[in-house]
Amino acid sequence: MDTHAPVPSADQLATAEGSQRQVGSLVLIGVLSLTAVGAALRFATLGLQSYHHDEVITVMRVIPGSFGQMLDAVKSSESNPPLYYVLAWAWAQLFGSGEVGLRSLSALFGAATVPLGYLIGRQLAGWRAGLVLTALLAVNPMLIWYSQEARSYALLVFFAALSLLFFLRALDTRRSSDLALWALSSALALCSHYFAFFVVGIEALWLLVALRDRWRAVLPALAAVAATGLALLPLLTSQVNPNHIGWIENSPLSTRLWETMASFVIGETGHVIAEPPRDRYALVPLILIGCGVLLGLVLGTRREARRVRLTLVLGLGVVALAAGAALIGKDYVVERNLLPALVPLAAAASIGFATAGARRLGILLAVALAAYWLTFDVHVTQTPNLQRPDFRALTEELGPASRRRAVVSWKLAGDPIRLYLQDHGLRMYGGDQQLGEVDVLSKPVSAGEAANLPPSFHLAQTIRLDRLTLSRYVSPHPMRLRFRTLDTLSTGFGSNAVILDAPPALRADLGNEARTTPTGPEEEG
């Protein structure tokens, strides 16, 4: 022991303590400010975009009835666990099922995820990493996208992030209380989305090995999570339906993995109809994130480098396990199903951005990434081509039916059109109908192509709607058209939906002629 080491004076100790309090106050202000920014980005534009297909499933099929009917709908027509729908059903009783009212539940969980970023980052590598991760979660386009969707993904991200926090705390403190909180948050993540299994499974295995000398505390925590999974298994078995996920395999696995990487940094912008230059938008953030990870691995301290590797194992492990399942025939790989990987991967970059080994460069890169994302977030709100299809504007252009008509669109547009036609549209599945009008919604390149309509149907109107074209064909005398004739009209999409509509006085007759069951394969994962 060095007996000659200088002893700090009382004034020096007071100065150090005051400096720590000042830093703590600034950090608190920073976290609160970033959380406010994240909340504003999520809540300010909740009603900007119309509901998309998956959300319409929630609005039209799952939550309109009683609580018991909601549970039956989750079992019969969903492919996700019940937690979100239980909350959404109660939320809708208070705030309605409009875009702002229902989506505000997801926005709330999305905004709550932002301050979790600070706690996770601080646990990993200190307050600087916490602030950086908070900033990245506040402005990440993918997290904002799903914080504005009436589906379960915001809950999945929140509870997966909470599970990550208590996983890290359990590793560091080895306390039973942290293990219990990890088990609770992991169980809630599993009840939000089945894909939470991958990240929770990796964490469980890691805890089992790292805390093997604490097995009396670890095993009950793991058993509680396993019991939750087993309790969900009968529901999962009853929900298995190839129509729910058959569309996934229409594109190669490698393409979907690339789309996941791009979506993690720019959201699912313009992903449904148009093909925007996603590679161009995604390139800058991917480079910046890669630089952050490298800084942590190369210039970080030994502890920081270990924590970067840990978060990479968690994030990339989710993707690897999902890809492995796809290769053996259980292919569910789409961007939103892999959302549990996003926060760990962002945390890996945040550690590098905040490392003392490259503090100025790291912070500069972090600021550049956050600024890019914030600019892109605003750009999305001003660019319809990067938003969900505008079904509100589309149905306004369709207008009320003045005669018996069919509306031909792509498959996943059927339910949103019905919703924004105030559920007056009825899906046709077969047979034939007496029609005086056919409205075709197509990609611009296919507009006007309706060669297999009878000659009496002439093109009466063409309307350009951002990424779509509405072509209205009218016959002076109603004609009986078979469903096959309408289903094969060229829209530029892989498969069509045909909706039967009529003036109010004739809608009762349509109910006897057409089935109102949902359109084919759902898009949910």
Side-chain angles (χ1 to χ4, degrees):
M1 179 178 179
D2 185 3
T3 57
H4 301 289
V7 178
S9 66
D11 289 342
Q12 288 174 324
L13 290 174
T15 300
E17 185 178 346
S19 177
Q20 289 178 348
R21 283 200 300 267
Q22 184 178 20
V23 169
S25 299
L26 292 174
V27 168
L28 178 60
I29 292 172
V31 172
L32 293 176
S33 299
L34 290 169
T35 301
V37 170
L41 289 171
R42 287 156 173 80
F43 280 95
T45 56
L46 271 182
L48 177 66
Q49 302 178 51
S50 62
Y51 279 137
H52 183 44
H53 175 266
D54 284 5
E55 296 178 283
V56 172
I57 294 173
T58 303
V59 174
M60 288 182 64
R61 269 197 275 159
V62 180
I63 65 170
S66 66
F67 187 81
Q69 289 171 327
M70 176 272 295
L71 293 177
D72 287 340
V74 170
K75 181 178 180 180
S76 62
S77 65
E78 278 296 339
S79 57
N80 291 321
L83 180 59
Y84 169 77
Y85 306 102
V86 170
L87 297 176
W89 182 87
W91 197 262
Q93 310 307 307
L94 297 173
F95 302 104
S97 58
E99 292 93 343
V100 174
L102 189 57
R103 284 174 173 167
S104 61
L105 174 63
S106 295
L108 183 63
F109 277 93
T113 303
V114 176
L116 282 182
Y118 174 73
L119 299 176
I120 292 168
R122 185 184 64 178
Q123 195 71 40
L124 284 167
W127 65 266
R128 288 185 178 87
L131 278 180
V132 171
L133 184 55
T134 304
L136 297 186
L137 298 188
V139 297
N140 176 267
M142 185 70 158
L143 295 182
I144 292 173
W145 184 274
Y146 280 106
S147 295
Q148 297 185 327
E149 182 141 313
R151 300 291 288 175
S152 62
Y153 303 105
L155 269 71
L156 167 64
V157 173
F158 175 81
F159 286 118
L162 200 62
S163 172
L164 172 60
L165 171 63
F166 290 116
F167 164 72
L168 295 171
R169 288 183 55 173
L171 288 179
D172 291 340
T173 68
R174 304 169 65 84
R175 291 197 300 250
S176 299
S177 57
D178 288 324
L179 284 167
L181 290 170
W182 170 81
L184 176 61
S185 54
S186 297
L188 291 170
L190 288 174
C191 291
S192 301
H193 198 285
Y194 295 121
F195 256 64
F197 165 79
F198 291 121
V199 70
V200 168
I202 296 171
E203 291 171 352
L205 183 60
W206 199 293
L207 289 171
L208 190 61
V209 174
L211 304 182
R212 53 189 177 275
D213 58 328
R214 294 273 293 138
W215 62 270
R216 285 186 176 86
V218 172
L219 289 183
L222 267 58
V225 177
T228 302
L230 290 174
L232 290 170
L233 193 58
L235 175 63
L236 173 61
T237 302
S238 68
Q239 289 175 328
V240 171
N241 182 348
N243 284 336
H244 286 173
I245 52 93
W247 61 273
I248 292 177
E249 297 179 352
N250 291 339
S251 61
L253 177 61
S254 58
T255 300
R256 283 178 278 129
L257 290 174
W258 162 250
E259 289 175 347
T260 297
M261 184 165 59
S263 293
F264 272 20
V265 296
I266 59 170
E268 294 203 28
T269 50
H271 207 32
V272 180
I273 299 179
E275 296 294 340
R278 291 172 64 80
D279 294 359
R280 184 188 71 192
Y281 286 127
L283 185 60
V284 170
L286 285 175
I287 291 174
L288 293 173
I289 289 170
C291 289
V293 172
L294 285 176
L295 287 176
L297 291 173
V298 176
L299 299 179
T301 64
R302 184 175 299 179
R303 172 183 167 82
E304 288 172 340
R306 284 200 306 268
R307 289 304 173 97
V308 171
R309 289 192 291 270
L310 169 59
T311 49
L312 287 177
V313 167
L314 292 172
L316 297 179
V318 171
V319 179
L321 290 174
L327 293 176
I328 62 173
K330 303 297 182 181
D331 193 348
Y332 303 92
V333 175
V334 289
E335 300 96 318
R336 52 192 173 275
N337 286 349
L338 299 178
L339 273 169
L342 197 156
V343 173
L345 293 176
S350 298
I351 296 169
F353 289 142
T355 182
R359 182 158 298 161
R360 289 185 179 179
L361 175 60
I363 295 301
L364 179 63
L365 294 175
V367 170
L369 177 58
Y372 182 94
W373 275 346
L374 182 59
T375 303
F376 186 76
D377 295 334
V378 175
H379 178 58
V380 169
T381 66
Q382 306 300 313
T383 311
N385 195 50
L386 297 177
Q387 300 170 8
R388 295 169 178 86
D390 191 350
F391 291 107
R392 285 185 306 228
L394 188 153
T395 51
E396 286 175 6
E397 290 292 348
L398 281 172
S402 59
R403 57 180 71 84
R404 290 167 63 101
R405 68 179 179 184
V407 180
V408 183
S409 67
W410 73 100
K411 180 74 75 173
L412 296 182
D415 283 318
I417 291 173
R418 286 183 60 210
L419 176 70
Y420 287 105
L421 284 175
Q422 299 179 342
D423 206 13
H424 296 152
L426 300 175
R427 188 82 17 73
M428 288 202 308
Y429 275 81
D432 50 30
Q433 302 291 336
Q434 196 82 13
L435 300 174
E437 179 181 324
V438 177
D439 296 332
V440 181
L441 291 160
S442 65
K443 291 183 178 180
V445 294
S446 303
E449 298 178 8
N452 54 343
L453 280 177
S456 65
F457 280 88
H458 66 278
L459 182 61
Q461 189 178 23
T462 301
I463 303 173
R464 182 67 186 270
L465 303 165
D466 291 322
R467 295 168 285 174
L468 292 171
T469 298
L470 169 60
S471 302
R472 178 163 287 155
Y473 298 88
V474 177
S475 173
H477 306 290
M479 295 192 62
R480 189 166 290 277
L481 297 180
R482 295 188 59 81
F483 170 76
R484 179 68 178 170
T485 300
L486 301 172
D487 186 48
T488 55
L489 291 177
S490 177
T491 61
F493 297 98
S495 56
N496 293 341
V498 181
I499 303 164
L500 183 62
D501 196 13
L506 301 178
R507 285 190 184 125
D509 295 335
L510 297 185
N512 297 323
E513 299 174 0
R515 293 167 52 188
T516 60
T517 51
T519 310
E522 282 86 351
E523 202 180 26
E524 72 251 12

Tab-separated table of all heavy atoms in Angstrom, residues 441-467:
chain	number	residue	atom	x	y	z
A	441	LEU	N	-58.088	-0.792	-59.714
A	441	LEU	CA	-56.964	-0.108	-59.084
A	441	LEU	C	-55.695	-0.863	-59.457
A	441	LEU	O	-55.538	-2.035	-59.125
A	441	LEU	CB	-57.132	-0.093	-57.567
A	441	LEU	CG	-58.260	0.797	-57.067
A	441	LEU	CD1	-58.680	0.406	-55.667
A	441	LEU	CD2	-57.837	2.242	-57.113
A	442	SER	N	-54.793	-0.185	-60.138
A	442	SER	CA	-53.631	-0.876	-60.688
A	442	SER	C	-52.384	-0.038	-60.511
A	442	SER	O	-52.432	1.148	-60.173
A	442	SER	CB	-53.846	-1.149	-62.183
A	442	SER	OG	-53.905	0.070	-62.904
A	443	LYS	N	-51.249	-0.678	-60.733
A	443	LYS	CA	-50.012	0.070	-60.870
A	443	LYS	C	-50.096	0.890	-62.152
A	443	LYS	O	-50.776	0.503	-63.107
A	443	LYS	CB	-48.819	-0.878	-60.930
A	443	LYS	CG	-48.530	-1.603	-59.624
A	443	LYS	CD	-47.294	-2.472	-59.734
A	443	LYS	CE	-46.978	-3.144	-58.409
A	443	LYS	NZ	-45.765	-4.003	-58.500
A	444	PRO	N	-49.407	2.013	-62.214
A	444	PRO	CA	-49.518	2.885	-63.398
A	444	PRO	C	-49.215	2.182	-64.704
A	444	PRO	O	-49.855	2.433	-65.711
A	444	PRO	CB	-48.496	3.993	-63.117
A	444	PRO	CG	-48.427	4.055	-61.637
A	444	PRO	CD	-48.597	2.637	-61.157
A	445	VAL	N	-48.290	1.232	-64.690
A	445	VAL	CA	-47.923	0.565	-65.941
A	445	VAL	C	-49.039	-0.311	-66.474
A	445	VAL	O	-49.057	-0.666	-67.652
A	445	VAL	CB	-46.659	-0.298	-65.747
A	445	VAL	CG1	-45.458	0.583	-65.456
A	445	VAL	CG2	-46.860	-1.316	-64.632
A	446	SER	N	-49.976	-0.676	-65.589
A	446	SER	CA	-51.061	-1.551	-66.010
A	446	SER	C	-52.362	-0.805	-66.237
A	446	SER	O	-53.372	-1.405	-66.570
A	446	SER	CB	-51.289	-2.644	-64.948
A	446	SER	OG	-50.106	-3.366	-64.719
A	447	ALA	N	-52.367	0.494	-66.030
A	447	ALA	CA	-53.609	1.254	-66.112
A	447	ALA	C	-54.234	1.117	-67.491
A	447	ALA	O	-53.571	1.190	-68.523
A	447	ALA	CB	-53.331	2.720	-65.821
A	448	GLY	N	-55.527	0.909	-67.504
A	448	GLY	CA	-56.253	0.867	-68.758
A	448	GLY	C	-56.275	-0.489	-69.438
A	448	GLY	O	-56.966	-0.673	-70.434
A	449	GLU	N	-55.536	-1.450	-68.908
A	449	GLU	CA	-55.505	-2.765	-69.531
A	449	GLU	C	-56.642	-3.613	-68.971
A	449	GLU	O	-56.544	-4.123	-67.866
A	449	GLU	CB	-54.161	-3.436	-69.268
A	449	GLU	CG	-52.979	-2.680	-69.862
A	449	GLU	CD	-51.657	-3.347	-69.528
A	449	GLU	OE1	-51.689	-4.459	-68.980
A	449	GLU	OE2	-50.612	-2.754	-69.820
A	450	ALA	N	-57.708	-3.730	-69.709
A	450	ALA	CA	-58.856	-4.538	-69.284
A	450	ALA	C	-59.467	-5.212	-70.491
A	450	ALA	O	-60.649	-5.125	-70.766
A	450	ALA	CB	-59.875	-3.661	-68.565
A	451	ALA	N	-58.613	-5.900	-71.229
A	451	ALA	CA	-59.026	-6.445	-72.522
A	451	ALA	C	-60.097	-7.516	-72.387
A	451	ALA	O	-60.853	-7.745	-73.340
A	451	ALA	CB	-57.801	-7.014	-73.251
A	452	ASN	N	-60.189	-8.176	-71.250
A	452	ASN	CA	-61.155	-9.262	-71.131
A	452	ASN	C	-62.493	-8.820	-70.566
A	452	ASN	O	-63.333	-9.649	-70.227
A	452	ASN	CB	-60.577	-10.409	-70.295
A	452	ASN	CG	-60.076	-9.940	-68.942
A	452	ASN	OD1	-59.865	-8.757	-68.745
A	452	ASN	ND2	-59.890	-10.877	-68.034
A	453	LEU	N	-62.749	-7.513	-70.471
A	453	LEU	CA	-64.098	-7.036	-70.177
A	453	LEU	C	-64.905	-7.032	-71.478
A	453	LEU	O	-64.357	-6.807	-72.560
A	453	LEU	CB	-64.055	-5.625	-69.593
A	453	LEU	CG	-63.706	-5.486	-68.114
A	453	LEU	CD1	-63.650	-4.016	-67.721
A	453	LEU	CD2	-64.685	-6.231	-67.233
A	454	PRO	N	-66.199	-7.250	-71.378
A	454	PRO	CA	-67.033	-7.197	-72.587
A	454	PRO	C	-66.925	-5.837	-73.271
A	454	PRO	O	-66.680	-4.815	-72.612
A	454	PRO	CB	-68.447	-7.446	-72.046
A	454	PRO	CG	-68.241	-8.190	-70.778
A	454	PRO	CD	-66.969	-7.650	-70.190
A	455	PRO	N	-67.116	-5.769	-74.589
A	455	PRO	CA	-66.965	-4.512	-75.334
A	455	PRO	C	-67.875	-3.388	-74.852
A	455	PRO	O	-67.546	-2.208	-75.042
A	455	PRO	CB	-67.308	-4.914	-76.768
A	455	PRO	CG	-67.056	-6.386	-76.827
A	455	PRO	CD	-67.387	-6.912	-75.466
A	456	SER	N	-68.999	-3.737	-74.232
A	456	SER	CA	-69.900	-2.668	-73.794
A	456	SER	C	-69.318	-1.837	-72.654
A	456	SER	O	-69.777	-0.721	-72.403
A	456	SER	CB	-71.250	-3.265	-73.358
A	456	SER	OG	-71.079	-4.080	-72.216
A	457	PHE	N	-68.305	-2.371	-71.961
A	457	PHE	CA	-67.656	-1.611	-70.891
A	457	PHE	C	-66.587	-0.718	-71.515
A	457	PHE	O	-65.621	-1.195	-72.111
A	457	PHE	CB	-67.017	-2.544	-69.860
A	457	PHE	CG	-68.007	-3.107	-68.876
A	457	PHE	CD1	-68.689	-4.289	-69.157
A	457	PHE	CD2	-68.264	-2.462	-67.676
A	457	PHE	CE1	-69.603	-4.815	-68.256
A	457	PHE	CE2	-69.175	-2.977	-66.773
A	457	PHE	CZ	-69.857	-4.154	-67.062
A	458	HIS	N	-66.765	0.585	-71.391
A	458	HIS	CA	-65.794	1.526	-71.939
A	458	HIS	C	-65.107	2.278	-70.808
A	458	HIS	O	-65.670	2.440	-69.713
A	458	HIS	CB	-66.475	2.523	-72.884
A	458	HIS	CG	-67.445	3.432	-72.202
A	458	HIS	ND1	-68.750	3.050	-71.909
A	458	HIS	CD2	-67.307	4.711	-71.718
A	458	HIS	CE1	-69.369	4.046	-71.301
A	458	HIS	NE2	-68.522	5.065	-71.172
A	459	LEU	N	-63.898	2.733	-71.071
A	459	LEU	CA	-63.133	3.471	-70.081
A	459	LEU	C	-63.722	4.865	-69.935
A	459	LEU	O	-63.594	5.716	-70.816
A	459	LEU	CB	-61.657	3.554	-70.491
A	459	LEU	CG	-60.709	4.259	-69.524
A	459	LEU	CD1	-60.685	3.551	-68.172
A	459	LEU	CD2	-59.303	4.320	-70.119
A	460	ALA	N	-64.376	5.112	-68.799
A	460	ALA	CA	-65.050	6.390	-68.586
A	460	ALA	C	-64.192	7.397	-67.851
A	460	ALA	O	-64.384	8.610	-67.992
A	460	ALA	CB	-66.344	6.157	-67.798
A	461	GLN	N	-63.217	6.918	-67.065
A	461	GLN	CA	-62.435	7.843	-66.247
A	461	GLN	C	-61.136	7.169	-65.831
A	461	GLN	O	-61.088	5.964	-65.555
A	461	GLN	CB	-63.236	8.246	-64.999
A	461	GLN	CG	-62.620	9.366	-64.177
A	461	GLN	CD	-63.502	9.743	-62.997
A	461	GLN	OE1	-64.327	8.944	-62.545
A	461	GLN	NE2	-63.335	10.949	-62.486
A	462	THR	N	-60.065	7.956	-65.795
A	462	THR	CA	-58.773	7.495	-65.274
A	462	THR	C	-58.264	8.528	-64.283
A	462	THR	O	-58.179	9.711	-64.602
A	462	THR	CB	-57.751	7.310	-66.403
A	462	THR	OG1	-58.248	6.354	-67.341
A	462	THR	CG2	-56.421	6.823	-65.846
A	463	ILE	N	-57.928	8.077	-63.079
A	463	ILE	CA	-57.468	8.971	-62.019
A	463	ILE	C	-56.138	8.459	-61.492
A	463	ILE	O	-56.018	7.275	-61.137
A	463	ILE	CB	-58.493	9.050	-60.867
A	463	ILE	CG1	-59.858	9.503	-61.383
A	463	ILE	CG2	-58.002	9.978	-59.762
A	463	ILE	CD1	-60.956	9.433	-60.334
A	464	ARG	N	-55.138	9.316	-61.425
A	464	ARG	CA	-53.824	8.945	-60.881
A	464	ARG	C	-53.810	9.234	-59.387
A	464	ARG	O	-54.126	10.348	-58.957
A	464	ARG	CB	-52.715	9.731	-61.585
A	464	ARG	CG	-51.313	9.377	-61.105
A	464	ARG	CD	-50.962	7.947	-61.487
A	464	ARG	NE	-49.691	7.551	-60.916
A	464	ARG	CZ	-48.519	7.717	-61.521
A	464	ARG	NH1	-48.471	8.286	-62.724
A	464	ARG	NH2	-47.401	7.316	-60.951
A	465	LEU	N	-53.446	8.230	-58.600
A	465	LEU	CA	-53.431	8.343	-57.144
A	465	LEU	C	-52.037	7.969	-56.636
A	465	LEU	O	-51.803	6.833	-56.233
A	465	LEU	CB	-54.477	7.408	-56.521
A	465	LEU	CG	-55.924	7.593	-56.978
A	465	LEU	CD1	-56.763	6.397	-56.571
A	465	LEU	CD2	-56.489	8.864	-56.361
A	466	ASP	N	-51.118	8.922	-56.684
A	466	ASP	CA	-49.755	8.670	-56.231
A	466	ASP	C	-49.192	7.427	-56.924
A	466	ASP	O	-48.849	7.465	-58.075
A	466	ASP	CB	-49.693	8.526	-54.698
A	466	ASP	CG	-49.963	9.850	-54.015
A	466	ASP	OD1	-49.501	10.882	-54.528
A	466	ASP	OD2	-50.638	9.847	-52.966
A	467	ARG	N	-49.149	6.303	-56.208
A	467	ARG	CA	-48.543	5.093	-56.769
A	467	ARG	C	-49.541	4.204	-57.498
A	467	ARG	O	-49.206	3.105	-57.917
A	467	ARG	CB	-47.870	4.289	-55.649
A	467	ARG	CG	-46.705	5.010	-55.006
A	467	ARG	CD	-46.275	4.312	-53.729
A	467	ARG	NE	-47.192	4.545	-52.623
A	467	ARG	CZ	-47.092	3.956	-51.440
A	467	ARG	NH1	-46.134	3.110	-51.211
A	467	ARG	NH2	-47.948	4.235	-50.491
